[in-house]
Amino acid sequence: MKPCGTSIFFFLLFLLVLLACPFAGAERLQLRDVWEGLRNLPTLDSRIFLHLRLPRVVLGLLAGGTLAMTGAALQVLFRNPLAEPWTLGMAGGASLGAFAARAFPVLWLAAGPFNTSQVSALVGAGGALMLVLFLARRTGGVGTPSLLLAGITIGIISGGAILVAGGFIAPWKLAEYHRWLLGGLGGADWRQVAALAVLALPGLVILQAQAGEYNPFGLGEEMAAGQGVDVARVRRLTLIGAGLASAAVAAVAGPIGFIGLLAPHAVRRFIGPDMRVVMLGSFFLGGALLAGCDTVGRVVASPHEIPVGALTALLGGPLFLLLLVRRNTQGTAASTAEGNHPVVES
Amino acid sequence: MPESPIRSLELTLRSIRFAYAEGTWAMDVPSLSLGGDSLCAVVGPNGSGKSTLLKIAVGLLPPQEGRVIWNGVPVGGISRRLLARSLGFLPQESAPLFDYTVEQVAALGRHAYGAGLEATAPEDRAAVDCALDAVELTALRRRRLSHLSGGERRRAWIASALAQEPSLLLLDEPTLALDLHQAASVMQVLSARSASKTRMVVVLHDLNLAALFCPRVILMQNGRIEADDVPSRIFTRERLKAVYGSGVEVFLHPRTQRPVVQPAI
């Protein structure tokens, strides 16, 4: 199979979602009215399209793509096919940080696309990741289920902290509060797209620049080092890129789980393990998946909405369990042995 | 820029000291030179520091004292990518993350030359073909790792290191957990290749394989080099008893005239 040819399919899917999903929703938009409004005087349809639907779909595409690419990179770095921002606790930690900055006015400051919730999300994501790595190294290694156990627990603790803090915030902020527990794209606007992009794009550029170095990691860290990979450098850059990317998403959309699992696994199924293509394919598929799920959540329950984090959990959770079961029935011994030997510590 | 592969390069360890935080011994190697012989075995009891010595030698484990010099330059001072073109390292096998094909595993050996999972440049293709031929996996090149036997998998790993075309290759227990015939075939591959292209240093558990294939043997105990010599002077009853702690019998093989070691019972 030609990897590049198949990855064009994911790109086309991404485009299809971008073009079709803004037209779906509680208010049916007519293509002709939207087109008229965009060319001449704005109509109601063109306003809904431009200011409500399009930013939301673009936010979904970018957030989903970011999560998927980050997941693909983390899975290789930790040699753990179940690693992604949510299962590593980064999404939870970042959401707790972002929530704190938004819920308490003393912590809130904004300038253009930058605001304090991005900073606190970064602190949250980085703190959670460091803690998870520390716990995993003490209990068997980063290649093992310990990593996930620590990550998911930290996610739950973060959710608990958000619920507790929710008891102290101003009542009119409660409407926003569910997003930080489950993840959602409600109320998306172009400012949020900008806020996501300024943080996520540098992270994604760093990750994609490492893509070629990820391939030898598949045979083990020491093997990669022997084949000419500067393991410590790749590890450092990947953690920085993944931290930026997952903090960026959590700061605008909360802890959306499993996109970073679903997309890379599906992409590898179709185009094989070459990480240089897998990373890009994951971006396109993850974006299409998240924006697509969000559209479904808007349409089926309209005029209410289902938070997209709930749908991705229903879709990705079973895959997580399936992979967990399959992994534990074959060859964990080898991965445990590997996990115990971090050759080059970062 | 790329080193030309076949040149006699020397890997020198000087006044190396290294201790693990929780270790019972400290590595102490005053002076050691590798790469002067086609195939050199490193043997010794479990935990005597064989793997540690190899990792220090390729710069994966920085020693607390001392220097490792490769071709006149400290190994820590060369980029890993450039180093990998002349100095190879094959660690003990670990479970692959993805189910690669044999060909992809071999192509990963060309990473230091900028190749991806599929070797496309002519010299990368040639190196991969040559490596697969050397380990006799050409017929299975499109087979996935999950469909290989343990011995075939190990040979695929070795093909990756051979495709790298280093002038010196350090291998950590390439025969571990293989049955007699598979282990012998791996050693034959290494022996043949070391005579022509790539000099090798091999950590071995099996003293008889070392005696049969290697013109030089380094015997280690508690982080020190106990002896460094030709097999006939290493594999003596007194020396092995001193290092391994229990009695051994040593015979000469009637046909090859190589030492054969068995535990005394």
Side-chain angles (χ1 to χ4, degrees):
Chain A
M1 211 179 306
K2 278 268 167 282
C4 290
T6 324
S7 56
I8 286 173
F9 167 77
F10 296 116
F11 178 66
L12 292 178
L13 194 65
F14 186 87
L15 273 187
L16 180 72
V17 168
L18 175 66
L19 296 177
C21 286
F23 290 93
E27 189 75 37
R28 277 196 60 116
L29 300 185
Q30 296 301 322
L31 180 58
R32 193 152 37 87
D33 292 348
V34 170
W35 183 240
E36 264 319 292
L38 289 177
R39 288 181 54 199
N40 304 314
L41 282 182
T43 59
L44 179 64
D45 278 16
S46 76
R47 283 210 179 105
I48 293 178
F49 179 83
L50 199 60
H51 299 296
L52 294 175
R53 298 278 175 79
L54 196 58
R56 182 156 180 169
V57 170
V58 171
L59 190 71
L61 286 169
L62 193 53
T66 303
L67 291 172
M69 213 163 151
T70 309
L74 290 171
Q75 283 152 27
V76 173
L77 186 74
F78 293 133
R79 292 176 55 71
N80 194 322
L82 297 175
E84 58 118 16
W86 191 85
T87 57
L88 292 184
M90 299 168 80
S95 297
L96 176 59
F99 169 78
R102 281 178 189 273
F104 301 105
V106 280
L107 297 176
W108 179 256
L109 258 178
F114 299 99
N115 60 59
T116 43
S117 79
Q118 294 165 322
V119 179
S120 53
L122 255 178
V123 172
L129 184 62
M130 292 303 130
L131 194 56
V132 167
L133 288 181
F134 170 76
L135 291 170
R137 289 216 170 104
R138 300 207 59 166
T139 53
V142 295
T144 66
S146 302
L147 181 79
L148 307 165
L149 203 57
I152 291 171
T153 307
I154 283 177
I156 293 171
I157 294 173
S158 303
I162 291 174
L163 278 169
V164 169
F168 299 94
I169 61 172
W172 63 84
K173 293 203 163 158
L174 279 174
E176 252 197 61
Y177 156 91
H178 285 109
R179 171 190 305 184
W180 309 108
L181 292 173
L182 214 64
L185 300 172
D189 56 24
W190 288 114
R191 275 187 326 200
Q192 290 186 5
V193 173
L196 172 59
V198 291
L199 213 56
L201 291 182
L204 295 184
V205 168
I206 293 174
L207 292 179
Q208 181 63 35
Q210 309 304 309
E213 305 291 296
Y214 291 148
N215 280 328
F217 267 79
L219 298 181
E221 223 170 57
E222 292 187 348
M223 188 79 174
Q227 285 167 339
V229 176
D230 186 340
V231 173
R233 181 187 141 86
V234 171
R235 179 193 289 276
R236 201 165 51 235
L237 287 172
T238 304
L239 292 182
I240 292 171
L244 281 172
S246 36
V249 175
V252 296
I256 295 172
F258 302 111
I259 290 291
L261 198 66
L262 281 164
H265 278 271
V267 169
R268 283 194 299 259
R269 250 226 136 132
F270 286 108
I271 63 183
D274 192 337
M275 284 302 289
R276 292 168 307 173
V277 205
V278 166
M279 297 276 284
L280 286 175
S282 297
F283 179 85
F284 293 128
L285 181 61
L289 261 176
L290 185 60
C293 281
D294 184 51
T295 306
V296 169
R298 283 191 292 121
V299 171
V300 292
S302 110
H304 299 290
E305 340 188 308
I306 304 169
V308 69
L311 290 177
T312 60
L314 286 180
L315 211 61
L319 174 71
F320 178 86
L321 293 176
L322 182 76
L323 291 170
L324 190 68
V325 169
R326 225 199 270 160
R327 194 173 144 73
N328 281 349
T329 46
Q330 36 172 277
T332 21
S335 62
T336 310
E338 165 70 16
N340 274 331
H341 292 274
V343 212
V344 189
E345 296 284 344
S346 59
Chain B
M1 283 292 79
E3 301 287 344
S4 90
I6 317 165
R7 210 195 312 162
S8 172
L9 296 174
E10 203 183 30
L11 185 62
T12 322
L13 286 74
R14 292 229 182 88
S15 345
I16 297 291
R17 280 173 186 277
F18 176 85
Y20 288 106
E22 68 277 21
T24 53
W25 49 256
M27 175 153 290
D28 183 1
V29 178
S31 171
L32 178 68
S33 172
L34 300 170
D37 312 80
S38 56
L39 189 53
C40 166
V42 180
V43 300
N46 287 332
S48 57
K50 306 185 291 286
S51 297
T52 306
L53 181 73
L54 237 57
K55 284 180 199 170
I56 290 175
V58 290
L60 288 187
L61 210 54
Q64 280 127 11
E65 274 176 50
R67 290 181 306 160
V68 183
I69 312 283
W70 172 233
N71 193 21
V73 191
V75 285
I78 318 168
S79 84
R80 294 291 329 170
R81 179 174 284 242
L82 214 53
L83 184 68
R85 290 178 188 172
S86 58
L87 181 62
F89 173 58
L90 190 74
Q92 288 182 21
E93 189 184 328
S94 58
L97 186 57
F98 307 122
D99 199 9
Y100 298 108
T101 63
V102 170
E103 202 171 6
Q104 286 173 331
V105 173
L108 280 170
R110 300 299 292 175
H111 179 77
Y113 303 88
L117 261 190
E118 325 289 334
T120 43
E123 59 273 29
D124 293 336
R125 288 220 65 84
V128 166
D129 290 347
C130 174
L132 288 175
D133 196 42
V135 299
E136 291 171 6
L137 283 181
T138 305
L140 302 181
R141 60 190 299 158
R142 304 210 187 281
R143 192 77 69 87
R144 297 204 167 271
L145 288 179
S146 56
H147 292 82
L148 297 183
S149 72
E152 288 164 347
R153 248 171 76 135
R154 195 66 52 87
R155 296 211 307 268
W157 247 249
I158 289 168
S160 188
L162 297 184
Q164 200 171 322
E165 294 184 330
S167 38
L168 178 62
L169 175 60
L170 312 185
L171 305 95
D172 196 354
E173 305 248 23
T175 60
L176 195 68
L178 294 185
D179 69 34
L180 196 61
H181 289 96
Q182 290 171 332
S185 94
V186 162
M187 287 310 292
Q188 262 156 356
V189 167
L190 298 183
S191 179
R193 185 79 167 203
S194 70
S196 60
K197 276 195 166 156
T198 298
R199 302 189 168 200
M200 303 203 195
V201 176
V202 195
V203 167
L204 285 176
H205 233 82
D206 188 323
L207 299 179
N208 291 318
L209 284 179
L212 194 56
F213 287 99
C214 304
R216 175 186 172 190
V217 177
I218 294 171
L219 178 64
M220 291 195 68
Q221 184 185 23
N222 292 334
R224 285 158 196 276
I225 291 174
E226 215 33 61
D228 179 358
D229 215 326
V230 293
S232 59
R233 280 203 284 263
I234 297 279
F235 297 114
T236 62
R237 198 185 307 180
E238 299 71 33
R239 189 152 250 166
L240 293 179
K241 186 175 188 326
V243 168
Y244 283 83
S246 53
V248 291
E249 304 281 1
V250 181
F251 319 91
L252 278 191
H253 189 282
R255 188 165 54 79
T256 62
Q257 294 300 306
R258 301 276 189 160
V260 175
V261 182
Q262 280 203 340
I265 35 175

